[in-house]
Amino acid sequence: MKSINEPVKNEAAIVKLINIFKQNAKDVHIEPEGKDFEFVENGELLVLLLCEGKMDIYKTSDNLLYASAMAPFILGIEGSLYRYNHYRFRLHHQCVVKTLPLKQCVELISAHNLIKTVLDYQAYLNDYTASRIELLVNKTAYEMVRGLLYELEKLPYEIRIKTSIINYIKYRSNLSKSGIVSIISTLRKGGYIEVCRGKMISISRKLPKKY
């Protein structure tokens, strides 16, 4: 069951861009405990190519887990210093990541006539940002939980079955644990979601809009 009007990620286009960019890219070493990625190195802006794995993006103001980017993913083409100063980009040890200077990236875009492909991808990023605002800004606790449950359902089953529902929602919303538990319990008793040992198996039927 999928929510409607969600941003569409064109993975084929992203892979096409990565395959061209990585010819000029270098590998990023990630320590076992993970690594915060910096988009500025020696005064030069960088582009990140997430080839495998996951990257978590946190707001620096309140350490809210704003989003989790799954490979394939590219970040940095827009060269936004504002974004880099207000968010923290955490790479997991299992990630395969490459990076190249933004200047080289722009040259490759021009040489391979990739402007349309890049604009389409940037439109997806903009749509995703708008969807986060729609999900988390000026919403009730239940509306946030509802939206995040639909988001959780979209994760691959092998990842979802290892993910705590409570933690997934708490880290992304800063809602109280007791409030989240109460809503999840009500939805479970109502037959809306199937839960096993704190992990969501599935959404059994459409979640009500109001609590």
Side-chain angles (χ1 to χ4, degrees):
M1 183 185 298
K2 292 186 177 181
S3 56
I4 61 174
N5 298 325
E6 63 189 47
V8 177
K9 182 179 180 181
N10 187 340
E11 293 198 3
I14 301 172
V15 170
K16 176 182 177 181
L17 291 172
I18 288 177
N19 285 338
I20 292 174
F21 295 158
K22 72 180 183 182
Q23 299 173 25
N24 292 54
K26 64 179 182 180
D27 294 332
V28 175
H29 173 72
I30 304 173
E31 295 81 5
E33 65 273 17
K35 175 185 177 71
D36 284 349
F37 184 80
E38 300 291 341
F39 280 88
V40 181
E41 183 177 74
N42 299 324
E44 189 172 45
L45 290 172
L46 301 176
V47 172
L48 178 148
L49 311 177
L50 182 63
C51 304
E52 295 180 20
K54 182 181 76 166
M55 174 177 65
D56 289 328
I57 304 172
Y58 295 85
K59 290 174 60 182
T60 54
S61 59
D62 55 9
N63 206 37
L64 182 78
L65 179 49
Y66 180 74
S68 293
M70 307 292 291
F73 196 82
I74 303 171
L75 201 58
I77 296 177
E78 69 281 8
S80 173
L81 287 173
Y82 175 87
R83 177 173 295 173
Y84 308 151
N85 288 332
H86 287 78
Y87 293 88
R88 180 167 63 89
F89 304 86
R90 188 69 177 176
L91 299 171
H92 293 254
H93 178 57
Q94 297 84 357
C95 289
V96 174
V97 178
K98 296 179 180 294
T99 185
L100 73 159
L102 174 60
K103 182 179 179 179
Q104 289 186 22
C105 185
V106 172
E107 291 172 352
L108 289 169
I109 291 170
S110 177
H112 292 270
N113 195 26
L114 296 171
I115 293 178
K116 176 63 166 60
T117 306
V118 169
L119 288 176
D120 287 345
Y121 179 59
Q122 289 299 127
Y124 160 72
L125 293 181
N126 292 338
D127 288 347
Y128 186 81
T129 299
S131 74
R132 303 308 291 176
I133 294 172
E134 175 64 22
L135 173 62
L136 299 173
V137 177
N138 295 327
K139 297 295 182 180
T140 65
Y142 172 72
E143 288 171 334
M144 283 190 275
V145 170
R146 180 179 183 270
L148 287 167
L149 284 174
Y150 276 124
E151 182 178 273
L152 177 59
E153 187 197 27
K154 285 181 273 185
L155 292 180
Y157 178 79
E158 61 272 15
I159 296 177
R160 188 171 72 244
I161 199 63
K162 297 177 182 178
T163 303
S164 162
I165 298 179
I166 304 303
N167 288 343
Y168 186 89
I169 296 172
K170 186 175 185 299
Y171 296 154
R172 289 165 175 78
S173 67
N174 281 342
L175 295 173
S176 69
K177 181 178 179 179
S178 60
I180 298 170
V181 169
S182 176
I183 293 171
I184 295 299
S185 177
T186 299
L187 291 174
R188 185 180 184 181
K189 290 177 181 177
Y192 290 98
I193 58 176
E194 183 181 355
V195 178
C196 179
R197 297 180 179 178
K199 316 300 191 300
M200 189 174 76
I201 305 301
S202 66
I203 294 178
S204 304
R205 55 195 178 111
K206 187 175 180 179
L207 303 179
K209 292 187 176 181
K210 299 297 180 181
Y211 186 52

